[in-house]
């Protein structure tokens, strides 16, 4: 018996020593581009600080680099290019599961700089036209935020001036309603990308329909945002989808109490560097039913998101992306009146929701200082609610019936041009064709019939245009100025919204900024019809 025990123990120790002795490595890939013009920068050098001997690479003609056999861990990575401000990207996590892809956007220097290095804080926004009240949302943060359920909306609640509650993922910015937030994906306004959105609170949902497997680093604004953003009062969540690995296939499968999560990415054509990325999630909450409140009923949800990237040699880059979500919540009434403990026990309801956004984007670089980006996107949201309840005569009667379907077609296009190292401008248009089919009914006080509050269908347009410039007086002093305008053709309401901001780096790692913005937002359509087509306004002055 002792021999039988000793032999497995020896084998285990040998296997442990073999595994622990292995140096697990991973590959770091990336691209170095001009922050303003987005053109690739060939010949830039990339080095992993603290490695001995020094590990690094240089970018090829497409501005791309590859560093192989990097041990797992956290690293600071330095990027250098002649005539540009050196950059250090802090705390890059290299894990064993997937290759790391970095996009280093570096700024052209106004003067010759020798040892001045720009350290990239993970909180610094990606948008170069930002002055204050903006923060970058890092995907890694979202996945490890305690109690965040892998939900970027819940992570945002930890930012200054932002709050939420445990009941939903609504984002409250400086006391404003969650519906005052603009959700934007790949440059297009979308419906709230949450499951069971707008049920308990307008602008809020239960859990995100966005998987961290799909997200790239994104920007979150809490006021006085750049003029490219309109139709928002409190803030902007500018979501970016990452591009799939164009050289290696990687698959992920996860299963837990709330359901399954499946994702895959890889090359479509290695020679053309095209790639795909998709994620699918399905949940029934069946295993959690014993601990959930009975009034929640049956819950089901599923979502699908994807991105296909198709670069060309001369015609720019095309990308096809999308997100969709389906939700169901239902509950049967308790038939035995002696078992009723509250009015909820009398109610029977069935709720179905969906949201979707699909887009095709084209981006082309013209010359060395200009690029144009255009997107066409259909988006939509739907809610169908049927609710019944037992009345005083113990008869089940309808109490609420809602069928709201809102969809739109959006075309956006902008041109970004750098006049010189000091001055750059971004000018664009946003054309939205809004369509709606709304029916809202509620029982009268006697619960004998349903009264119609809204019964309308039709279409209208929300037209927007903007222009914004950034002027760098020095490397430490910059001015952002622009204007956004929009008109809602249903009532011909027109708004002009100026934006201005000034930032000054007066000490290393110390910035003083002031900005002002006038903002307006179109009310949700079903509320708009009740409120006689109102547009709500807000002024932001931030320090």
């Amino acid at each position: 018996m002792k021999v039988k025990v000793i032999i497995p123990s020896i084998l285990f120790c040998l296997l442990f020593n073999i595994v622990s002795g292995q140096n697990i490595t991973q590959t770091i890939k990336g691209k170095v581009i001009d922050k303003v013009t987005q053109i690739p920068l060939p010949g830039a050098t990339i080095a992993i600080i603290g490695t001995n001997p020094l590990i690094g690479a240089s970018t090829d003609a497409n501005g791309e680099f590859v560093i192989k056999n990097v041990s797992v861990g956290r690293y600071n990575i330095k990027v250098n290019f002649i005539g540009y401000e050196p950059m250090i990207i802090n705390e890059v996590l290299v894990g064993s599961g997937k290759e790391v892809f970095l996009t280093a956007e570096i700024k052209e220097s106004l003067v010759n700089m020798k040892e001045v290095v720009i350290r990239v804080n993970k909180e610094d926004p990606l948008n170069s036209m930002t002055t204050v009240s903006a923060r970058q949302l890092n995907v890694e943060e979202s996945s490890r935020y305690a109690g965040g359920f892998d939900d970027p909306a819940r992570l945002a609640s930890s930012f200054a001036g932002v709050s939420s509650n445990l009941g939903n993922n609504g984002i409250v910015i400086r006391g404003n309603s969650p519906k005052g937030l603009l959700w934007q994906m790949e440059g297009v306004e979308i419906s709230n990308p949450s499951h069971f959105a707008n049920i308990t609170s307008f602008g809020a949902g239960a859990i995100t329909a966005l998987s961290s497997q799909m997200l790239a680093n994104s920007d979150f604004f809490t006021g006085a945002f750049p003029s490219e953003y309109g139709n928002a009062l409190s803030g902007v969540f500018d979501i970016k989808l990452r591009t799939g690995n164009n050289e290696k296939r990687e698959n992920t499968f996860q299963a837990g109490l709330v359901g399954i999560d499946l994702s895959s990415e890889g090359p479509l054509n290695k020679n053309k560097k095209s790639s795909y990325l998709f994620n699918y999630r399905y949940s029934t909450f069946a295993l959690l039913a014993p601990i959930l409140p009975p009034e929640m009923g049956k819950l089901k949800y599923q979502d699908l998101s994807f991105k296909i990237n198709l670069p060309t040699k001369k015609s720019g880059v095309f990308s096809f992306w999308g997100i969709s979500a389906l939700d169901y919540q239902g509950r049967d009434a308790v038939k035995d009146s002696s078992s009723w403990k509250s009015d909820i026990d009398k109610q029977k309801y069935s709720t179905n929701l969906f949201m979707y956004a699909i887009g095709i984007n084209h981006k082309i670089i013209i010359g060395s200082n200009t690029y144009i980006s255009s997107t066409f996107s259909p988006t939509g949201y739907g809610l169908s609610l049927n609710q019944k309840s037992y009345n005083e005569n113990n008869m089940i009667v309808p109490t609420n019936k809602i069928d709201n379907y809102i969809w739109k077609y959006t075309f956006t296009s902008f041109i970004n041009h750098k006049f010189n190292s000091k001055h750059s401008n971004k000018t664009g248009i946003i054309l939205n064709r809004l369509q709606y089919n709304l029916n809202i009914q509620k029982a009268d006080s006697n619960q004998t019939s349903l009264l119609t509050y809204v019964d309308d269908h039709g279409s209208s347009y929300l037209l927007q245009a903007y222009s914004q410039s950034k002027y760098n007086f020095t490397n430490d002093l910059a001015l952002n100025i622009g204007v956004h305008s929009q008109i809602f053709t249903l009532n011909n309401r027109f708004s002009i919204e100026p934006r201005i901001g000034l930032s000054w780096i007066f000490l290393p790692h110390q910035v003083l900024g002031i900005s002002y913005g006038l903002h307006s937002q179109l009310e949700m359509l079903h509320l708009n019809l009740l409120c006689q087509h109102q547009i709500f306004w807000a002024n932001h002055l931030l320090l």
Side-chain angles (χ1 to χ4, degrees):
M1 293 295 293
K2 291 182 179 180
V3 175
K4 292 181 180 179
V5 174
I6 292 173
I7 291 176
S9 300
I10 294 174
L11 291 174
F12 174 79
C13 291
L14 289 174
L15 289 173
F16 177 80
N17 289 332
I18 292 173
V19 173
S20 61
Q22 291 179 343
N23 183 23
I24 302 175
T25 62
Q26 189 54 273
T27 299
I28 299 177
K29 298 179 180 179
K31 195 170 187 177
V32 180
I33 60 176
D34 183 290
K35 188 175 181 66
V36 177
T37 65
Q38 302 289 292
I39 64 170
L41 300 176
T45 59
I46 300 91
I48 301 178
I49 299 175
T51 55
N52 188 17
L54 188 66
I55 300 175
S58 60
T59 57
D60 59 17
N62 297 315
E64 299 174 347
F65 68 90
V66 177
I67 306 176
K68 297 182 178 180
N69 300 320
V70 180
S71 299
V72 297
R74 289 185 182 273
Y75 298 95
N76 295 334
I77 297 179
K78 185 175 182 180
V79 182
N80 277 292
F81 188 67
I82 297 174
Y84 283 72
E85 297 175 354
M87 170 193 289
I88 291 181
I89 307 174
N90 291 319
E91 297 184 4
V92 175
L93 177 63
V94 179
S96 60
K98 286 189 175 184
E99 294 181 339
V100 178
F101 188 89
L102 301 174
T103 299
E105 299 184 358
I106 58 178
K107 295 169 56 179
E108 186 176 1
S109 177
L110 301 183
V111 295
N112 292 328
M113 302 176 66
K114 294 182 179 180
E115 297 298 331
V116 179
V117 178
I118 304 300
R119 289 185 175 268
V120 177
N121 191 319
K122 288 187 176 182
E123 299 181 359
D124 292 341
L126 300 172
N127 194 311
S128 62
M129 298 284 183
T130 303
T131 305
V132 296
S133 296
R135 191 187 191 281
Q136 181 183 159
L137 186 140
N138 186 275
V139 178
E140 181 193 344
E141 284 183 296
S142 177
S143 61
R144 59 188 173 91
Y145 176 64
F149 300 102
D150 215 13
D151 189 340
R154 294 182 186 273
L155 171 61
S157 66
S158 66
F159 301 162
V162 184
S163 63
S164 66
N165 60 65
L166 294 176
N168 57 60
N169 65 356
I171 300 176
V172 178
I173 301 175
R174 297 188 175 93
N176 286 281
S177 169
K179 64 185 176 67
L181 180 73
L182 169 68
W183 289 93
Q184 185 164 292
M185 176 177 286
E186 295 292 295
V188 175
E189 180 183 356
I190 64 172
S191 302
N192 184 350
S194 295
H195 291 289
F196 307 103
N198 302 322
I199 296 295
T200 59
S201 174
F202 288 128
I207 190 171
T208 183
L210 296 165
S211 170
S212 61
Q213 303 283 352
M214 294 292 302
L215 293 178
N217 292 346
S218 305
D219 279 342
F220 181 72
F221 302 86
T222 58
F225 22 91
S227 61
E228 66 183 275
Y229 303 108
N231 197 31
L233 286 183
S234 60
V236 177
F237 213 138
D238 190 359
I239 300 168
K240 306 294 184 185
L241 300 178
R242 69 182 183 89
T243 301
N245 195 322
N246 59 18
E247 293 185 358
K248 179 183 177 182
R249 297 192 187 280
E250 297 175 320
N251 304 301
T252 303
F253 176 79
Q254 302 177 69
L257 290 176
V258 295
I260 62 172
D261 186 313
L262 174 65
S263 65
S264 179
E265 63 181 292
L268 292 174
N269 187 315
K270 289 186 178 181
N271 294 329
K272 295 183 178 180
K273 296 187 176 181
S274 58
S275 65
Y276 73 90
L277 170 66
F278 83 88
N279 179 267
Y280 173 75
R281 300 188 302 178
Y282 178 79
S283 177
T284 63
F285 278 98
L287 296 178
L288 295 179
I291 63 174
L292 294 176
E295 60 268 18
M296 290 186 65
K298 298 178 182 178
L299 296 174
K300 296 181 181 180
Y301 73 78
Q302 56 185 318
D303 55 65
L304 172 69
S305 48
F306 66 90
K307 183 176 182 180
I308 298 173
N309 198 57
L310 303 170
T312 65
K313 290 184 178 180
K314 296 182 179 180
S315 301
V317 178
F318 293 86
S319 62
F320 183 50
W321 56 269
I323 180 174
S324 62
L326 290 173
D327 310 318
Y328 169 80
Q329 183 178 14
R331 184 179 187 274
D332 292 326
V334 178
K335 296 181 180 180
D336 185 2
S337 60
S338 62
S339 301
W340 294 346
K341 297 179 180 179
S342 66
D343 289 340
I344 295 178
D345 294 329
K346 304 178 184 180
Q347 297 175 359
K348 174 183 179 180
Y349 63 85
S350 174
T351 306
N352 290 278
L353 302 97
F354 70 85
M355 69 81 58
Y356 68 89
I358 302 172
I360 182 168
N361 173 265
H362 176 241
K363 179 179 176 181
I364 186 169
I365 296 174
I366 302 173
S368 59
N369 294 314
T370 306
Y371 75 93
I372 298 175
S373 179
S374 302
T375 303
F376 174 74
S377 173
T379 63
Y381 165 81
L383 165 65
S384 178
L385 168 67
N386 286 283
Q387 187 176 33
K388 298 180 180 180
S389 179
Y390 282 101
N391 61 13
E392 296 177 352
N393 299 321
N394 207 27
M395 296 178 60
I396 194 162
V397 295
T399 55
N400 288 286
K401 182 176 175 58
I402 300 175
D403 289 294
N404 288 348
Y405 304 104
I406 300 170
W407 67 102
K408 65 184 177 74
Y409 302 97
T410 301
F411 174 77
T412 72
S413 184
F414 68 83
I415 181 170
N416 193 99
H417 180 72
K418 182 167 75 172
F419 295 96
N420 50 54
S421 59
K422 291 186 175 182
H423 181 207
S424 60
N425 177 271
K426 184 177 183 179
T427 299
I429 58 171
I430 306 170
L431 310 178
N432 296 287
R433 176 178 170 83
L434 310 174
Q435 295 186 258
Y436 55 92
N437 190 341
L438 309 175
N439 185 276
I440 301 176
Q441 301 178 62
K442 184 177 177 62
D444 58 18
S445 57
N446 297 321
Q447 290 191 340
T448 57
S449 62
L450 292 175
L451 298 179
T452 299
Y453 285 78
V454 175
D455 185 11
D456 198 3
H457 66 277
S459 63
S460 186
Y461 291 90
L462 178 64
L463 310 177
Q464 300 165 270
Y466 63 88
S467 183
Q468 57 188 16
S469 284
K470 181 170 186 175
Y471 191 85
N472 297 293
F473 297 100
T474 67
N475 282 319
D476 299 327
L477 184 64
L479 172 70
N480 291 307
I481 187 169
V483 64
H484 185 101
S485 62
Q486 62 183 27
I487 181 171
F488 183 40
T489 61
L490 189 63
N491 58 5
N492 292 321
R493 291 292 299 271
F494 179 73
S495 66
I496 297 179
E497 306 163 13
R499 317 281 173 85
I500 187 170
L502 185 68
S503 63
W504 175 38
I505 305 175
F506 61 96
L507 288 173
H509 310 295
Q510 299 292 326
V511 181
L512 177 64
I514 182 172
S515 63
Y516 167 81
L518 176 64
H519 308 284
S520 66
Q521 184 183 45
L522 178 67
E523 185 55 277
M524 300 176 72
L525 273 179
H526 59 284
L527 297 179
N528 209 325
L529 294 171
L530 291 172
C531 299
Q532 299 181 352
H533 318 311
Q534 293 185 16
I535 291 181
F536 294 87
W537 300 78
N539 285 277
H540 292 181
L541 176 61
L542 300 173
L543 292 171

